[in-house]
Amino acid sequence: MAAEVSRSGAGSPGKIRIAGIVRESIVDGPGLRFVVFCQGCPHSCPGCHNAATHDFSGGYDCEIEKILSAIEKDPLLDGVTFSGGEPMCQPEGFYELAREIRRRFPQMNIVTFTGYTYEELEMLAAENPDLQGLLDLTDLLIDGPFVEAQKDLTLRFRGSRNQRILDMNATRQQKKPVLAEEYL
């Protein structure tokens, strides 16, 4: 699993490999959101609605500054969502992007989707400071693989019942996963 997370997509400072962006979304986290869909995912969950993002050689390299400029143009945004693909496979770039979002837009929150569980990420982050930094800057973590047998279209912000929405601020304080009750 550690090798999967270290797949660094673009691998170039100041860039991330993405499948695309959605400038305004109301389904990828609370409020009006700017969504960055990263390219590359090792999970290949059957039934994934973003299967085109699985190939690590797909998509395109995008400068982080270009993404930040696009975010800056929309004063109505409540936050930014990192989705996939698997953002945790590009921890360096997404951590850099998250740091700049915090610096430039402190009123915005960050939601990160991942096919890994929080517990898996905790172990991996112990050896990867960029992954730990990304987790530290995430407000809501939607974790776990999509499981087609548990698909539920009535859930907020996620596709299957096994996936959790974790309040990362409370999780850091309590040092254990804490569900974001307001989104269940």
Side-chain angles (χ1 to χ4, degrees), residues 21-134:
I21 61 168
V22 172
R23 292 177 188 273
E24 292 186 342
S25 170
I26 57 170
V27 298
D28 295 296
L32 188 63
R33 312 201 62 77
F34 188 97
V35 185
V36 180
F37 291 94
C38 78
Q39 184 68 40
C41 181
H43 307 297
S44 299
C45 300
C48 174
H49 75 280
N50 281 343
T53 66
H54 293 179
D55 182 359
F56 281 89
S57 63
Y60 59 97
D61 289 348
C62 184
E63 292 181 10
I64 289 171
E65 190 57 46
K66 185 175 179 180
I67 294 169
L68 292 164
S69 177
I71 293 168
E72 187 173 36
K73 291 177 182 172
D74 191 341
L76 300 177
L77 292 172
D78 294 299
V80 179
T81 296
F82 303 151
S83 192
E86 176 57 73
M88 300 305 175
C89 288
Q90 297 184 61
E92 301 89 355
F94 277 94
Y95 177 42
E96 181 180 342
L97 178 56
R99 280 194 321 261
E100 282 301 305
I101 290 167
R102 283 280 188 253
R103 189 178 72 77
R104 296 183 193 189
F105 317 108
Q107 77 284 5
M108 289 190 189
N109 59 60
I110 297 173
V111 173
T112 303
F113 281 81
T114 180
Y116 294 103
T117 64
Y118 170 76
E119 292 80 4
E120 290 170 325
L121 291 173
E122 258 191 324
M123 289 187 299
L124 294 167
E127 298 178 16
N128 187 324
D130 292 318
L131 181 58
Q132 184 62 60
L134 178 55

Side-chain angles (χ1 to χ4, degrees), residues 1 4 78 84 93 99 108 133 138 163 169 179:
M1 182 169 42
E4 293 170 348
D78 294 299
R99 280 194 321 261
M108 289 190 189
T138 295
Q163 294 172 313
N169 296 316
L179 296 176

